[in-house]
Amino acid sequence: MNFEPDYVDTQFREEVRAFLKAKLPAEMAARGRSGFLTGRDDALAWQKILAEKGWSVPHWPAEFGGPSWTARQRYIFDEECYLAGAPVTNIGGVGLVGPVIFTFGTAEQKARFLPGIRNGDTFWVQGFSEPGAGSDLASLRTSAVRDGDHYVVNGQKIWTSFGIFGDWNFLLVRTDPDAKKQAGISFLLLDIKSPGVTVRPLDSLEGSHHLAEVFYDNVRVPVENLVGEENKGWSYTKFLLFNERAFYGAEAPALKRYLQKIKHIASIERAGSEPLIKRPTFAARLAEMEIEVAAIDMTVSRVIAHGLDPRNGGDAVGSILKARGTELAQRLTDMLVEIVGDYGAYHYPDTNEEPDLRNDPFTGPDYAPGLMAELVYRRAASIYGGANEVQRNIVAKTLFGF
Amino acid sequence: MNFEPDYVDTQFREEVRAFLKAKLPAEMAARGRSGFLTGRDDALAWQKILAEKGWSVPHWPAEFGGPSWTARQRYIFDEECYLAGAPVTNIGGVGLVGPVIFTFGTAEQKARFLPGIRNGDTFWVQGFSEPGAGSDLASLRTSAVRDGDHYVVNGQKIWTSFGIFGDWNFLLVRTDPDAKKQAGISFLLLDIKSPGVTVRPLDSLEGSHHLAEVFYDNVRVPVENLVGEENKGWSYTKFLLFNERAFYGAEAPALKRYLQKIKHIASIERAGSEPLIKRPTFAARLAEMEIEVAAIDMTVSRVIAHGLDPRNGGDAVGSILKARGTELAQRLTDMLVEIVGDYGAYHYPDTNEEPDLRNDPFTGPDYAPGLMAELVYRRAASIYGGANEVQRNIVAKTLFGF
Amino acid sequence: MELQLSDEQKLILESAERFASEKYTFADRRSRVTRGETFNRDTWRQLADLGWFGIGVPEEAGGFGASTIENTLIAEALAKAQALEPYTMCAVLPARILAACPEVECAQAALAALIAGEQVFALAYSETISRGDPAAITTRASKTADGWAISGRKTLVVGGDVADQVLVTALDAETSALHLFLVDGSAKGISREGDKLVDWTSGLDLVFDGVQVTEGERLASGDDALAIIRAALDDAAVVLCAEAVGAIEGAIEVTAPYIKERHQYGVSLSSFQVLQHRMADMAMELVLARSAVMCALHALSNAEPVERSARVAGCKAYVTRIGKWATSQGIQLHGGYGITEEYSVGQYYKRLLVIDALLGRQDFQLGRYTEWMTAQLPAA
Amino acid sequence: MELQLSDEQKLILESAERFASEKYTFADRRSRVTRGETFNRDTWRQLADLGWFGIGVPEEAGGFGASTIENTLIAEALAKAQALEPYTMCAVLPARILAACPEVECAQAALAALIAGEQVFALAYSETISRGDPAAITTRASKTADGWAISGRKTLVVGGDVADQVLVTALDAETSALHLFLVDGSAKGISREGDKLVDWTSGLDLVFDGVQVTEGERLASGDDALAIIRAALDDAAVVLCAEAVGAIEGAIEVTAPYIKERHQYGVSLSSFQVLQHRMADMAMELVLARSAVMCALHALSNAEPVERSARVAGCKAYVTRIGKWATSQGIQLHGGYGITEEYSVGQYYKRLLVIDALLGRQDFQLGRYTEWMTAQLPAA
């Protein structure tokens, strides 16, 4: 262990910053910095820009177009992108199904799907949770029955993030109804435009529709869209969920952007003539969170630098980071809504769904719209990806064998 | 509901204050205000003073010497005594075994034991918990076997508060080893000087010995010291535990005294030239606790005024007050130790165990000794009387049927 | 002092609960939200007809006597039923202000119209810098030949989209004294920006651009005006806290059966001890929140203005904090469904977010209490 | 930057863990506590012989190179084993100060004696008003014919009961500049008040009544002295935080098997989900506390003094807060046994209480971080 400055990392960080300065469109960055979730258009447009530079799939192997960065470099890249307000790229494609395809897929699947993800042509959405299978994912019921060279899919998925933006859907289906829970599940790739697919957006509390239900009514999926072996889908899912938790669990870059944003807004917003940041009680609360964000960020760095080891939480660290990161994100977004004062209570429409509104000025300061959407989205963060109660079960079981 | 001032209560409060001013010895009050637990000598001496006035057993019926106060008056009396620093009287006698005896005891038991409690002649200690039976009290194993006109008691009790001060011990024993848990338990009164009784003080974390283990080795207890019927002790215990929780659970007067003390100390203690109370972050933390104490105090008043009703937590309110009151007491005593700064880390001997030390000046300000003892004592408060986890189980079961 | 509800109060509570649960079904609310209706005049009139707008107003001012206690009972029931109509902000609050101006003719007429539910009133006092302090404003009133011209922006004006008349504060352009005016809602120069609040209730900006009012529409000025407004805001803050109590209770009542019915891993969610304890803590917060409201009601009846405002601020800081926590846990226990509009639990949480924003947020309210508390201490 | 322990560091950690667990058995500790022994010179010498006192001292100052990182590894292991000897306060801290005075002859001799474990050193800097700020003192040093006379009271002097030499700060009676002296522990005019700390380790008041020192025993003055002391306090604070990490880990390691073995209501305590989650949270705090120490170590290596002190303060505020919580929950999970001396878990909690008190408590440390953080912001 030592903390001598690392000039290679510093240089890389500067390279990323220079790229962002040159290539990230200002309006896109402004939308990214607002709390509105990234829409399909920004996600794919930014993915294209990154692809031109060869940076669009940071953790993919070089043979599939990855830049061969170290884990530390990927982390620096993520952080700089976030802080600059770059759109979130299509996690479903780049982060989740992409690695599953290049690890478990056929040569044909790799050739067919990976370029579209890498180059920002296709938007992928996940189909895992069902109304009766949330944190207890393995109890899912959506079925796929073999019929010639097709599977016929029937059932329903829910909590499909960005469902209304999706071109393709990767989903878990039950192919063996008699097998025990985890056995008998397969992993399919499904074109959302297939007949029989209905995407119904859910009304989210703050008025946006980034979550959806997806209904499958005798949807025919060609057999070549099965990933890996039939009934082995659960093992690919575990691989994917591990990636999800390890790479996205704590969302440390997002936490840092919240801090940055709070400081910015609290320097502007006033109570009478006093900027909020000068209030000792407010500043102390912010300071506590900043210290905690640094500790989370250091924990992520420890995992990146040397994987799982008992001194950093061992196999439980993914759950630890997911639980604590999301809870901190909730406190930070609470504060963001709090500091905009009266405008923190206003409803603002979602410009990702209604891009026509982008040019209309909303009432209130330019940073107010989107904060409430962010807060509501973060309320879901302690629920999705395995509720935090489940994460704590995992920690207790993993570390103590309870 | 109305909040018009109540002149009867105000008058009574003034009467109590005048009495305390006239009759509470200054040195005793100074010890009471310090965090040291009340010793046997102060508890009994103060009980005698109260007895002269007819105020020593506030919630006993008039026929046994009670003053016939309303519940509200008793609460005012408790509060004023606490705030004035009056010693805590012998709860085991006045609050717990006394009511059991006058409710379930024989005429002879009433005549024999009640006067000693009322007049401060005898100090009673409780014998309920055992090493294997804490929150799960009904699994106790100490046995009493009938042998002629005696019971022969064998076993062990633990967590006996003020065990080393005890004259008499009321305890639960198993008289029917074949009965199911709660059945087969009897309630005995036992002279601690009986042959075969050994009281072993426990070393408490801060160095005091107010808790004890009591060992019973063939101790012979006359049959006339059985309260009520054999094997029916559990029902008397439930009565007693209800009293304990309802009257002592929240300890609102103690919470108020902590607030008073924190304000006093924080006005004196300084960081550089600034009194601690002027620090906004410190003052805000204190304010939060003061507001919460007021809410707890109001809740107690609601229960006193109109018993259990759904709007005040119904049958769960005792558990609610116990859990929240003790947790708030922990935060308040943490703050007390914190504000005395360096002296908050010092060990001070317990002057109740070593009264010779009372005239020796300790190093540090006069309010420093005893605060740590108080903090450690309050750490136990979320454990004793049914751990707070058990209280939450009760609340969930009582209110929601979970 | 009597801490139990009187028979009359029990009747009021019961009738409020009955009316609210019949009137405000969740399905009806969803359909109103979908068509963007923040305020329904018929419903408003019904609330008035029940006598609820005059209930806390003294009889000599045209009200029905009683006190803020009765307002809190009604508000609690309405909040539990997720009423969209802003009872606290558009009935209780302006009525308090109007009743405190017995000498002003137009105020008396307005109060009668308010109590009868004939006209809708809004208070436009807040600005971005106010944070609950009615003195911290920048809107200006300049003297004109026959009255005043008001210019400035008011934020979070509940009822601002529908109000027939608006109570507006402004600083005298010359003396900087605070004036309180009664302005016609359709007056020239008033524009509206914003749409509604996140809990789908009414609230937006009112922008005043040289809006003309007569001298007769000036209700009060200077310290008098501030004292009237502060007292009314204190009353309204306590009633809002009662709304929070209703929302917490509502969140508990929809969540407990939900986790009993819902199964995961083959067992009822309510069999998990962690969720049991979560609900136990929510129940504890409910009991304490109701007690905190009673502490504040006690202060309204007994304390001098400075202490009264401090204690009300303390109550609001506390109730908002624990209320946001308790209702957010209602969402958590509902899982993904909790963050959708299809389940009612999230509406309680959003109501708490709005209650926090109205009349000054947590950090500022706690600051006000803290300041008062430390000022009480003897100098060491 | 390299976040994994090097092979040398792993060896140091392992040998520290081995030594500590063999030397500091709980039974032996209990017997030392019972006879009131805060400090054992033989044990102290053994620690020195392992090379642990010179490990963070530069080679040119007579140490063995390495850095504060190595100190934290040793401190963590000692704290986990509940060592009574004050490694951080009487070895790491005075060594840093002495090593920072290379020009002063007596300091160099003292440092050699410290590293060899031949003499015991204590730092007497704190007073009741200091709260972690070494500049906030009232002890006075007056010039005499051949040196200085020191008068004042120092609190919480760890090692004060046994120190052969004491580092003392005092303000110049004339100029108010701060001086740092090296004083013989048995000098005339020094008296001791108090006994020991609540975790049974060394700590008491040293009262100086005209204690005579020579000019040669003045190690540093003014801003230089303060800079030396602050840097040493920052190092020591990080090492104390590593002690806290060791204590949290120790509390977890004694509690997990305890709740597995212990049964209530016929089942193992560890089968209760609420207790499982409690321990999960304790484990989370352990991971984050260790990361916070690494953040502070990063600042020690990379930051300018103002930022360095702020970040160290932030680390101490955070680690103390979560450490007090985690160890207190170790007690809670032990039930009644937790608050007795017969089980080790309570000692960890008491150590955290003492760590909080040493070098400035939570509220003040957080205040220091906050002040720095807000000073970094561009003026709006």
Side-chain angles (χ1 to χ4, degrees):
Chain A
M1 189 187 294
N2 72 66
F3 297 94
E4 285 150 27
D6 198 325
Y7 295 103
V8 177
D9 286 350
T10 313
Q11 225 167 13
F12 178 73
R13 193 182 288 277
E14 276 161 21
E15 191 185 347
V16 174
R17 281 186 188 168
F19 168 77
L20 289 165
K21 205 171 164 189
K23 300 290 187 183
L24 175 62
E27 284 183 16
M28 200 185 267
R31 284 194 292 277
R33 278 193 303 270
S34 94
F36 287 124
L37 293 166
T38 301
R40 174 190 164 94
D41 47 357
D42 277 351
L44 294 182
W46 176 236
Q47 181 79 359
K48 281 189 185 22
I49 295 170
L50 290 173
E52 277 166 31
K53 176 82 179 174
W55 286 2
S56 70
V57 284
H59 54 285
W60 290 19
E63 58 173 311
F64 304 114
S68 300
W69 288 336
T70 63
R72 178 93 204 141
Q73 283 178 308
R74 294 198 295 267
Y75 189 61
I76 290 170
F77 177 73
D78 276 357
E79 180 174 298
E80 289 300 323
C81 285
Y82 249 96
L83 292 176
V88 178
T89 56
N90 173 212
I91 293 179
V94 177
L96 303 178
V97 79
V100 169
I101 293 175
F102 68 62
T103 310
F104 303 106
T106 61
E108 197 209 0
Q109 286 170 340
K110 290 176 197 170
R112 181 171 171 208
F113 295 113
L114 295 181
I117 297 172
R118 187 174 62 238
N119 298 325
D121 298 325
T122 41
F123 197 100
W124 285 80
V125 300
Q126 174 171 298
F128 282 8
S129 298
E130 299 185 6
S135 290
D136 180 16
L137 184 56
S139 65
L140 60 89
R141 291 194 203 158
T142 295
S143 68
V145 177
R146 184 73 179 260
D147 176 24
D149 52 359
H150 281 79
Y151 288 102
V152 181
V153 178
N154 278 288
Q156 182 194 347
K157 296 290 176 181
I158 196 170
W159 317 127
T160 299
S161 293
F162 304 108
I164 51 173
F165 299 150
D167 299 311
W168 277 82
N169 183 201
F170 56 99
L171 76 165
L172 295 179
V173 290
R174 190 160 294 286
T175 35
D176 180 354
D178 302 324
K180 275 204 197 154
K181 283 177 105 181
Q182 281 84 348
I185 289 176
S186 298
F187 195 110
L188 288 186
L189 311 177
L190 180 150
D191 184 340
I192 286 191
K193 291 178 297 296
S194 309
V197 177
T198 310
V199 178
R200 189 177 83 92
L202 286 163
D203 291 350
S204 192
L205 281 182
E206 86 292 3
S208 70
H209 301 89
H210 60 95
L211 293 171
E213 293 177 293
V214 185
F215 299 88
Y216 308 87
D217 180 14
N218 286 314
V219 182
R220 296 184 70 81
V221 178
V223 171
E224 66 256 31
N225 288 2
L226 172 75
V227 176
E229 292 179 50
E230 194 176 276
N231 296 333
K232 292 281 170 63
W234 188 255
S235 60
Y236 318 140
T237 309
K238 280 205 302 190
F239 165 85
L240 174 153
L241 289 177
F242 181 82
N243 279 347
E244 184 181 19
R245 206 169 287 153
F247 287 105
Y248 304 105
E251 299 193 54
L255 302 180
K256 287 187 187 174
R257 193 161 82 190
Y258 292 144
L259 288 174
Q260 196 189 48
K261 209 171 199 172
I262 291 171
K263 288 178 181 175
H264 171 67
I265 298 175
S267 310
I268 296 173
E269 288 281 336
R270 285 171 154 63
S273 57
E274 183 193 44
L276 295 197
I277 196 71
K278 299 282 182 202
R279 288 178 67 79
T281 50
F282 169 80
R285 273 166 61 209
L286 180 59
E288 275 197 315
M289 292 198 274
E290 181 167 279
I291 294 163
E292 204 170 327
V293 168
I296 285 181
D297 192 43
M298 177 61 81
T299 308
V300 175
S301 295
R302 288 164 65 194
V303 175
I304 285 172
H306 49 99
L308 310 178
D309 95 18
R311 278 174 72 85
N312 67 19
D315 292 340
V317 72
S319 293
I320 292 173
L321 286 170
K322 195 276 175 175
R324 298 302 293 264
T326 52
E327 287 156 18
L328 195 48
Q330 291 176 343
R331 286 159 59 203
L332 285 161
T333 48
D334 279 351
M335 191 176 242
L336 274 168
V337 165
E338 179 189 325
I339 58 180
V340 288
D342 286 0
Y343 292 114
Y346 281 45
H347 167 66
Y348 291 101
D350 185 341
T351 52
N352 290 306
E353 292 169 21
E354 305 182 59
D356 298 351
L357 294 175
R358 281 191 191 154
N359 298 319
D360 291 359
F362 295 127
T363 191
D366 59 3
Y367 44 70
L371 294 182
M372 180 58 76
E374 189 86 14
L375 175 141
V376 172
Y377 176 68
R378 290 298 170 183
R379 268 289 137 218
S382 52
I383 297 166
Y384 62 54
N388 286 9
E389 288 83 359
V390 174
Q391 304 300 340
R392 286 184 166 79
N393 288 346
I394 293 172
V395 173
K397 195 176 175 66
T398 309
L399 297 183
F400 306 116
F402 293 156
Chain B
M1 190 187 294
N2 73 66
F3 297 94
E4 285 150 27
D6 198 326
Y7 296 104
V8 177
D9 285 350
T10 313
Q11 226 166 13
F12 177 72
R13 194 183 287 278
E14 275 161 22
E15 191 186 345
V16 175
R17 282 187 187 167
F19 167 76
L20 288 165
K21 203 172 166 190
K23 299 290 187 183
L24 175 63
E27 286 182 14
M28 200 184 268
R31 284 194 291 277
R33 277 192 304 270
S34 94
F36 288 124
L37 293 167
T38 301
R40 174 191 164 94
D41 48 357
D42 277 351
L44 293 182
W46 177 237
Q47 182 77 1
K48 283 189 183 26
I49 295 170
L50 290 173
E52 277 167 31
K53 177 82 178 175
W55 287 2
S56 68
V57 284
H59 55 283
W60 290 19
E63 58 173 311
F64 305 114
S68 301
W69 288 337
T70 63
R72 179 94 205 139
Q73 283 178 308
R74 293 199 295 268
Y75 189 61
I76 291 169
F77 176 73
D78 277 356
E79 180 174 298
E80 289 300 324
C81 285
Y82 247 96
L83 292 176
V88 178
T89 57
N90 174 215
I91 292 177
V94 177
L96 303 178
V97 79
V100 170
I101 292 174
F102 68 64
T103 310
F104 303 106
T106 61
E108 198 210 0
Q109 286 169 342
K110 292 176 195 170
R112 182 170 169 206
F113 295 112
L114 295 181
I117 296 172
R118 188 175 62 237
N119 298 326
D121 298 326
T122 41
F123 197 101
W124 285 79
V125 299
Q126 175 172 298
F128 282 10
S129 297
E130 298 184 5
S135 290
D136 180 17
L137 185 56
S139 65
L140 62 87
R141 290 195 204 157
T142 295
S143 69
V145 177
R146 185 73 181 260
D147 177 26
D149 54 0
H150 281 79
Y151 288 103
V152 181
V153 178
N154 279 289
Q156 181 195 347
K157 295 291 176 182
I158 196 170
W159 316 127
T160 299
S161 293
F162 305 108
I164 52 173
F165 299 150
D167 298 312
W168 277 81
N169 184 199
F170 56 100
L171 75 167
L172 295 179
V173 290
R174 189 161 294 285
T175 35
D176 181 352
D178 302 322
K180 276 204 196 150
K181 282 178 108 181
Q182 280 84 348
I185 289 175
S186 298
F187 194 111
L188 288 187
L189 311 176
L190 179 150
D191 185 339
I192 285 191
K193 290 178 298 294
S194 308
V197 177
T198 311
V199 178
R200 189 177 82 91
L202 286 164
D203 291 350
S204 192
L205 281 182
E206 86 294 0
S208 70
H209 301 89
H210 61 93
L211 294 172
E213 293 177 294
V214 186
F215 298 89
Y216 307 88
D217 178 14
N218 287 315
V219 181
R220 296 185 70 81
V221 178
V223 171
E224 66 256 31
N225 288 4
L226 172 75
V227 177
E229 290 178 54
E230 195 176 274
N231 297 333
K232 293 282 170 64
W234 189 253
S235 60
Y236 317 141
T237 309
K238 280 204 302 189
F239 166 86
L240 173 154
L241 289 177
F242 181 83
N243 279 346
E244 184 181 17
R245 205 168 287 154
F247 287 106
Y248 303 105
E251 299 192 55
L255 301 180
K256 288 188 185 174
R257 193 162 81 190
Y258 292 144
L259 287 174
Q260 196 188 52
K261 209 172 197 172
I262 290 171
K263 289 179 180 176
H264 171 66
I265 297 175
S267 310
I268 297 172
E269 289 281 335
R270 286 172 155 61
S273 57
E274 182 193 43
L276 295 196
I277 196 73
K278 299 282 182 202
R279 289 178 66 78
T281 51
F282 169 80
R285 273 165 61 210
L286 181 59
E288 275 198 315
M289 292 197 273
E290 181 167 278
I291 294 163
E292 203 170 329
V293 168
I296 285 181
D297 193 44
M298 177 60 82
T299 309
V300 175
S301 295
R302 288 163 67 192
V303 175
I304 286 171
H306 49 99
L308 309 178
D309 96 17
R311 278 175 72 86
N312 66 21
D315 293 339
V317 72
S319 292
I320 292 174
L321 286 170
K322 195 275 177 177
R324 298 303 293 264
T326 52
E327 286 156 19
L328 195 48
Q330 291 176 342
R331 286 159 60 202
L332 286 160
T333 49
D334 279 352
M335 190 177 242
L336 274 168
V337 164
E338 179 189 326
I339 58 179
V340 289
D342 287 359
Y343 292 114
Y346 281 45
H347 167 66
Y348 292 101
D350 184 343
T351 52
N352 290 305
E353 293 169 20
E354 306 182 59
D356 299 350
L357 293 176
R358 279 188 192 156
N359 298 321
D360 292 358
F362 295 125
T363 191
D366 60 2
Y367 44 72
L371 294 182
M372 181 58 75
E374 190 86 13
L375 175 141
V376 172
Y377 176 68
R378 290 296 169 186
R379 269 289 138 217
S382 51
I383 297 166
Y384 63 56
N388 286 10
E389 288 84 0
V390 174
Q391 304 300 340
R392 286 184 166 79
N393 288 346
I394 293 172
V395 172
K397 194 176 175 65
T398 309
L399 297 183
F400 306 115
F402 292 157
Chain C
M1 195 165 83
E2 168 56 56
L3 300 180
Q4 190 145 23
L5 296 181
S6 68
D7 289 343
E8 290 83 354
Q9 289 168 331
K10 273 186 199 147
L11 277 180
I12 291 170
L13 178 64
E14 281 161 21
S15 81
E17 282 173 343
R18 197 168 43 242
F19 174 83
S21 66
E22 284 166 13
K23 185 78 201 170
Y24 293 102
T25 64
F26 187 60
D28 186 52
R29 187 184 201 273
R30 281 271 280 160
S31 101
R32 282 183 59 183
V33 165
T34 307
R35 63 177 187 269
E37 181 187 277
T38 58
F39 193 98
N40 185 301
R41 280 184 184 263
D42 288 340
T43 307
W44 192 249
R45 190 63 176 255
Q46 286 174 37
L47 298 173
D49 289 345
L50 287 160
W52 294 350
F53 294 177
I55 204 166
V57 176
E59 287 180 35
E60 58 273 24
F64 316 129
S67 76
T68 310
I69 297 170
E70 284 70 21
N71 292 129
T72 64
L73 298 174
I74 295 163
E76 188 185 310
L78 289 171
K80 194 167 154 184
Q82 309 190 324
L84 286 168
E85 274 66 43
Y87 174 68
T88 306
M89 297 297 289
C90 293
V92 179
L93 178 53
R96 288 291 190 284
I97 292 176
L98 294 169
C101 306
E103 319 285 294
V104 186
E105 204 177 307
C106 69
Q108 291 317 293
L111 183 55
L114 186 160
I115 290 173
E118 285 159 6
Q119 288 199 311
V120 180
F121 290 78
L123 172 64
Y125 86 100
S126 188
E127 304 182 13
T128 55
I129 62 165
S130 305
R131 307 268 166 181
D133 177 4
I137 59 171
T138 60
T139 296
R140 284 283 182 278
S142 312
K143 199 92 190 74
T144 61
D146 56 346
W148 303 81
I150 306 171
S151 291
R153 175 186 291 267
K154 294 291 182 179
T155 52
L156 201 47
V157 184
V158 173
D161 50 344
V162 292
D164 301 300
Q165 296 195 60
V166 183
L167 291 153
V168 187
T169 56
L171 299 182
D172 192 307
E174 274 177 48
T175 67
S176 290
L178 186 140
H179 299 300
L180 173 66
F181 298 101
L182 185 60
V183 182
D184 190 295
S186 56
K188 215 182 125 203
I190 300 183
S191 58
R192 290 165 173 80
E193 290 184 16
D195 180 16
K196 59 173 91 72
L197 303 184
V198 70
D199 68 344
W200 314 125
T201 62
S202 160
L204 38 53
D205 290 1
L206 287 193
V207 185
F208 296 82
D209 183 12
V211 175
Q212 303 288 323
V213 291
T214 66
E215 174 63 16
E217 289 161 338
R218 183 173 59 80
L219 304 187
S221 294
D223 289 346
D224 284 352
L226 262 179
I228 290 169
I229 295 167
R230 283 194 208 279
L233 291 177
D234 285 346
D235 280 345
V238 178
V239 181
L240 270 185
C241 290
E243 282 197 37
V245 169
I248 299 170
E249 187 163 67
I252 290 172
E253 289 188 8
V254 298
T255 304
Y258 180 85
I259 68 166
K260 250 187 212 169
E261 281 158 29
R262 177 118 179 128
H263 285 63
Q264 282 216 324
Y265 305 102
V267 294
S268 163
L269 282 183
S270 68
S271 67
F272 290 102
Q273 195 192 23
V274 159
L275 306 191
Q276 293 174 354
H277 281 207
R278 196 78 54 80
M279 288 223 62
D281 274 309
M282 289 161 70
M284 293 181 187
E285 301 300 11
L286 173 62
V287 170
L288 293 174
R290 197 171 260 135
S291 288
V293 169
M294 290 170 70
C295 291
L297 286 168
H298 184 276
L300 290 182
S301 292
N302 292 281
E304 293 304 301
V306 174
E307 176 176 350
R308 181 200 70 206
S309 292
R311 290 199 182 275
V312 169
C315 168
K316 186 155 187 286
Y318 178 60
V319 170
T320 313
R321 174 166 65 82
I322 65 182
K324 283 199 289 190
W325 179 82
T327 53
S328 79
Q329 293 311 305
I331 294 179
Q332 180 73 20
L333 268 55
H334 272 70
Y337 295 104
I339 61 149
T340 68
E341 287 282 299
E342 295 177 16
Y343 280 74
S344 66
V345 68
Q347 306 303 318
Y348 290 120
Y349 174 62
K350 290 197 290 179
R351 185 64 193 149
L352 256 299
L353 292 176
V354 169
I355 289 172
D356 185 23
L358 292 168
L359 310 182
R361 286 176 185 271
Q362 218 177 292
D363 193 45
F364 297 91
Q365 300 289 18
L366 184 63
R368 280 169 198 127
Y369 183 88
T370 307
E371 210 171 293
W372 169 77
M373 179 191 80
T374 46
Q376 300 313 299
L377 296 177
Chain D
M1 195 165 86
E2 168 55 57
L3 300 180
Q4 189 145 22
L5 295 181
S6 68
D7 289 343
E8 290 82 355
Q9 289 168 332
K10 273 187 199 148
L11 277 179
I12 290 170
L13 178 64
E14 282 162 20
S15 82
E17 282 174 343
R18 197 167 45 242
F19 174 84
S21 67
E22 283 166 13
K23 184 78 201 171
Y24 292 102
T25 65
F26 187 61
D28 186 52
R29 188 183 201 274
R30 280 273 280 159
S31 103
R32 282 182 60 179
V33 166
T34 308
R35 64 178 187 268
E37 181 188 276
T38 57
F39 193 97
N40 184 300
R41 281 187 182 260
D42 289 339
T43 306
W44 194 247
R45 189 65 177 254
Q46 286 174 41
L47 297 173
D49 290 346
L50 287 160
W52 294 350
F53 293 177
I55 204 165
V57 177
E59 287 180 37
E60 60 273 25
F64 316 128
S67 77
T68 310
I69 297 171
E70 284 70 22
N71 292 130
T72 63
L73 298 174
I74 296 163
E76 189 184 310
L78 289 171
K80 194 167 155 185
Q82 308 190 326
L84 287 168
E85 275 65 42
Y87 174 68
T88 308
M89 297 299 288
C90 293
V92 179
L93 178 54
R96 287 292 188 285
I97 292 176
L98 293 171
C101 306
E103 319 285 294
V104 185
E105 202 177 309
C106 69
Q108 292 317 294
L111 183 54
L114 187 159
I115 291 174
E118 285 159 6
Q119 288 200 310
V120 180
F121 291 79
L123 172 64
Y125 87 100
S126 187
E127 304 182 13
T128 56
I129 61 164
S130 303
R131 307 269 166 182
D133 176 3
I137 59 172
T138 61
T139 296
R140 285 281 181 280
S142 311
K143 199 91 193 72
T144 61
D146 55 347
W148 302 81
I150 305 171
S151 291
R153 176 185 292 266
K154 295 292 182 178
T155 51
L156 200 50
V157 184
V158 174
D161 49 344
V162 291
D164 302 299
Q165 297 194 61
V166 184
L167 290 153
V168 187
T169 56
L171 299 181
D172 192 307
E174 274 176 47
T175 67
S176 289
L178 187 139
H179 299 298
L180 173 65
F181 298 100
L182 185 60
V183 182
D184 190 295
S186 57
K188 214 181 127 204
I190 299 182
S191 58
R192 290 166 171 79
E193 289 184 18
D195 180 18
K196 60 174 92 69
L197 303 185
V198 70
D199 68 345
W200 313 126
T201 61
S202 161
L204 39 53
D205 290 0
L206 287 193
V207 185
F208 296 81
D209 184 11
V211 175
Q212 304 288 321
V213 291
T214 65
E215 174 62 18
E217 289 160 338
R218 184 172 59 80
L219 304 188
S221 293
D223 289 347
D224 285 352
L226 262 179
I228 290 168
I229 294 167
R230 284 194 207 278
L233 291 177
D234 284 348
D235 281 344
V238 178
V239 180
L240 269 184
C241 289
E243 282 197 37
V245 169
I248 299 169
E249 187 164 66
I252 290 173
E253 288 188 8
V254 298
T255 304
Y258 181 85
I259 67 165
K260 250 187 214 170
E261 281 158 29
R262 178 118 180 126
H263 285 63
Q264 282 217 323
Y265 303 103
V267 294
S268 162
L269 283 182
S270 67
S271 67
F272 290 103
Q273 194 192 23
V274 159
L275 306 191
Q276 293 173 357
H277 280 207
R278 196 80 51 81
M279 288 223 63
D281 273 310
M282 290 161 68
M284 294 181 187
E285 301 299 12
L286 173 62
V287 170
L288 292 173
R290 198 172 260 133
S291 288
V293 169
M294 289 170 72
C295 292
L297 285 168
H298 184 277
L300 290 183
S301 292
N302 293 280
E304 293 304 299
V306 174
E307 177 177 349
R308 181 199 69 206
S309 292
R311 292 202 181 271
V312 169
C315 169
K316 185 154 188 286
Y318 179 59
V319 170
T320 312
R321 174 167 64 81
I322 65 182
K324 283 199 289 190
W325 179 82
T327 53
S328 79
Q329 293 311 305
I331 293 178
Q332 179 73 20
L333 267 54
H334 271 72
Y337 295 105
I339 62 148
T340 67
E341 287 281 299
E342 295 176 17
Y343 281 75
S344 65
V345 68
Q347 306 303 319
Y348 290 119
Y349 174 61
K350 290 198 292 178
R351 184 64 193 150
L352 257 299
L353 292 176
V354 169
I355 289 172
D356 186 23
L358 292 169
L359 311 182
R361 286 174 185 273
Q362 218 176 295
D363 193 44
F364 297 91
Q365 301 289 18
L366 184 63
R368 279 168 199 129
Y369 183 89
T370 308
E371 209 170 293
W372 170 78
M373 179 190 78
T374 46
Q376 301 313 300
L377 297 176

